[in-house]
Amino acid sequence: MTATLAAESLALVPGTVVLDEIAGARGPWSAVVRAGDVLTIVDLHGNQAVDTLIYAADDHAVRYDAAATVTAQRSLFLTTGSILRACDGSALMTIVGDEVGNHDTVGGACSQESNTLRYGHHTKHQHACVENFLVEGAKWGLGKRDMVSNINFFMNVPVDEDGTLGIVDGLSAPGKRLALRAEVDSLVLVSNCPQINNPCNGFDPTEVRMIVTRPTEETR
C-alpha cells in the first residue's frame, strides 16, 4: 500500500518532490541530495536495514565519520536531532524526522568475508553490503579505500553495559519513515541490505522508497 501512495503524502518534510525512487531488495542506491533538501526513507515492508554512507558531493574526502558523530552527540544511537558529522566535525546531514527512534552506528556492513566467518563457508556466494557499496560507489569514482564505518538505518543493535552487542529483531514496521536534511550538497550511498543470516531484515530483504523534497520557505 505504502509503495503506491503519492510521494507528497509520504515525505516527512513537505515540499516539492525532486526525486522519488525505489531501492530494490538486496540492491544499492545513490543520489546527490542538495543542501536544504530532505531525503525521506520509507521502510515499505518493515525491519529492512538500510546501510548508508554519506560524502560531501563536491569533495569525497569529506565523509561521514562515526566517531565524530557519536562523540559530538554522546550517544551511540541516532534519532531526531542527530547531526551526521564528517571527519572534520562539519555537519553533512541532520535527522529531522524519525518514526522509529533508534538507528545503529556500530554494526557495520556485511561482506562476503564476514558472512563466511560468522555463518559458515556455504554463505560465501551471498551478495552483501560491501559489494553493493563498491558497485554503486564506482559510479561516483569511489573505491574500497573510500569506505568508512557506515550507518544502519532501521537496524536494531542494542549494546549492553559491558560492551556486548548483537543484531536483533528490528524496531521498525511497514511504512515507518526517517527524514534527513542535507546541510551541504551530499552524496548518499545506500546498500539496501541483502543479509539473510541474522534478524536485521527479518530474514527477508525488501525494497525501500527514497523521496527527496525541496521545502518551501514556509516549511524550512
Side-chain angles (χ1 to χ4, degrees):
M1 179 67 177
T2 310
T4 62
L5 293 176
E8 291 84 355
S9 67
L10 285 177
L12 275 177
V13 176
T16 302
V17 175
V18 297
L19 182 147
D20 179 15
E21 295 180 350
I22 296 292
R26 305 173 184 259
W29 178 90
S30 63
V32 171
V33 182
R34 299 298 176 187
D37 289 358
V38 177
L39 169 63
T40 296
I41 305 175
V42 186
D43 187 3
L44 292 173
H45 303 281
N47 292 346
Q48 173 58 43
V50 180
D51 292 38
T52 305
L53 294 170
I54 304 169
Y55 304 81
D58 58 356
D59 184 359
H60 294 161
V62 179
R63 57 193 63 170
Y64 169 75
D65 187 284
T69 299
V70 167
T71 300
Q73 69 170 13
R74 299 190 177 191
S75 174
L76 282 177
F77 306 106
L78 304 175
T79 188
T80 304
S82 293
I83 300 171
L84 311 181
R85 297 186 182 274
C87 40
D88 61 1
S90 61
L92 292 169
M93 305 186 86
T94 301
I95 299 178
V96 293
D98 179 15
E99 295 181 331
V100 176
N102 187 310
H103 304 270
D104 170 62
T105 62
V106 296
C110 60
S111 67
Q112 290 179 326
E113 292 79 8
S114 66
N115 281 345
T116 299
L117 179 65
R118 292 172 176 170
Y119 309 115
H121 288 284
H122 66 283
T123 66
K124 173 66 176 176
H125 71 284
Q126 294 176 0
H127 195 59
C129 285
V130 168
E131 286 68 42
N132 273 341
F133 281 140
L134 291 175
V135 168
E136 195 68 15
K139 299 177 182 179
W140 304 90
L142 297 169
K144 200 159 192 176
R145 289 185 177 183
D146 298 299
M147 287 191 59
V148 293
S149 296
N150 60 288
I151 301 164
N152 292 307
F153 290 123
F154 302 113
M155 189 162 131
N156 187 18
V157 184
V159 179
D160 295 336
E161 290 186 5
D162 63 359
T164 302
L165 58 84
I167 299 170
V168 300
D169 288 338
L171 301 173
S172 187
K176 293 292 187 180
R177 299 168 294 173
L178 171 87
L180 303 160
R181 183 184 64 226
E183 306 301 344
V184 297
D185 290 354
S186 297
L187 169 61
V188 181
L189 197 64
V190 159
S191 170
N192 197 24
C193 183
Q195 182 61 255
I196 58 173
N197 300 292
N198 67 49
C200 72
N201 298 319
F203 301 101
D204 181 24
T206 52
E207 60 189 14
V208 296
R209 191 167 173 181
M210 317 295 281
I211 301 168
V212 177
T213 52
R214 184 158 297 153
T216 62
E217 290 300 324
E218 292 76 15
T219 58
R220 286 185 186 276

